[in-house]
Amino acid sequence: PFVPKLSGATTADATAASAHSFERLRGQHVLIVDDSAINLEIAQRLLEIEGATVEVANDGEQAIELLKHSRDAFDAVLMDIQMPIIDGLAATRHIRRVLGLTVPVIALTAGAFSRDRELAVEAGMNDFIGKPFEPEHMVRVLSKYAPQHEDARPLSQQKRAAGAIASDRTSAASFVGDPALATELVHQLL
């Protein structure tokens, strides 16, 4: 199984963390909508590590089609705001006004400006997750809006390893679970 390297933690601690604390979203079905393949890959891996089932869409138009044909399939939608074809704000307005869905839509945004947040709320988005993604914040936000499934492990019952994921290349490969992908991500981010 995937075991992230945690600074200050032993391999046994990381294995225990993998077995116990990376299942907080088990049973949840999340749609991630982003035009960046890197963002999709990172978010998908983070959520799958936490036990969620994930589907992805590359733009708002694809998200609308998925939601139209699977109206009750998702517990939450993570929606990038700036995308081609149909952006996240327009897609969310459509999800709310035309499809009439109340599924939580959480903005994925690199912008932390208050105007961005106002526009997102006006469009019908429920909350915000900043880029780059912080795994703990992402789990907290999703846990706040998505229903708790019977097979999910409550945070209070989880054994957690201390520390953060180290930032060296070896840890990046371990975190992503694929050395080639980690190298590609590092090169694209530089």
Side-chain angles (χ1 to χ4, degrees), residues 90-165:
T92 302
R93 283 191 291 273
H94 188 90
I95 291 164
R96 299 292 187 233
R97 296 175 188 159
V98 177
L99 299 181
L101 299 178
T102 59
V103 62
V105 179
I106 300 159
L108 297 177
T109 180
F113 301 109
S114 61
R115 184 65 185 143
D116 292 337
R117 290 179 180 259
E118 289 173 19
L119 290 172
V121 169
E122 289 171 9
M125 292 182 164
N126 300 83
D127 214 325
F128 310 86
I129 294 175
K131 296 178 188 177
F133 307 124
E134 294 179 21
E136 288 301 313
H137 180 68
M138 184 178 282
V139 170
R140 271 195 313 274
V141 170
L142 280 169
S143 295
K144 184 164 81 171
Y145 293 100
Q148 192 71 15
H149 292 273
E150 289 182 26
D151 57 349
R153 295 181 184 214
L155 186 57
S156 63
Q157 296 177 3
Q158 296 174 16
K159 184 175 183 179
R160 300 178 61 190
I165 295 169

Side-chain angles (χ1 to χ4, degrees), residues 1-2 5 30 34 43 49 56 69 71 74 83 86 101 107 118 131 136 141 145-146 148-149 169 178:
F2 166 79
K5 180 178 179 185
V30 180
D34 200 311
I49 288 166
V56 299
H69 297 291
R71 297 181 68 82
F74 299 100
M83 295 180 290
I86 297 178
L101 299 178
E118 289 173 19
K131 296 178 188 177
E136 288 301 313
V141 170
Y145 293 100
Q148 192 71 15
H149 292 273
R169 180 177 270 187
D178 179 349

Side-chain angles (χ1 to χ4, degrees), residues 10-81:
T10 66
T11 302
D13 290 337
T15 302
S18 174
H20 297 288
S21 66
F22 293 112
E23 299 174 354
R24 295 173 284 183
L25 300 176
R26 190 180 340 162
Q28 293 186 11
H29 194 185
V30 180
L31 173 61
I32 306 169
V33 188
D34 200 311
D35 61 318
S36 165
I38 293 171
N39 288 339
L40 284 174
E41 181 74 24
I42 291 171
Q44 181 173 4
R45 286 182 185 253
L46 287 173
L47 297 179
E48 287 175 346
I49 288 166
E50 291 290 350
T53 302
V54 176
E55 289 192 45
V56 299
N58 294 308
D59 58 57
E61 183 176 56
Q62 289 179 4
I64 289 167
E65 284 302 309
L66 274 170
L67 290 164
K68 184 164 79 173
H69 297 291
S70 304
R71 297 181 68 82
D72 297 321
F74 299 100
D75 295 306
V77 177
L78 300 181
M79 179 84 70
D80 185 19
I81 291 179

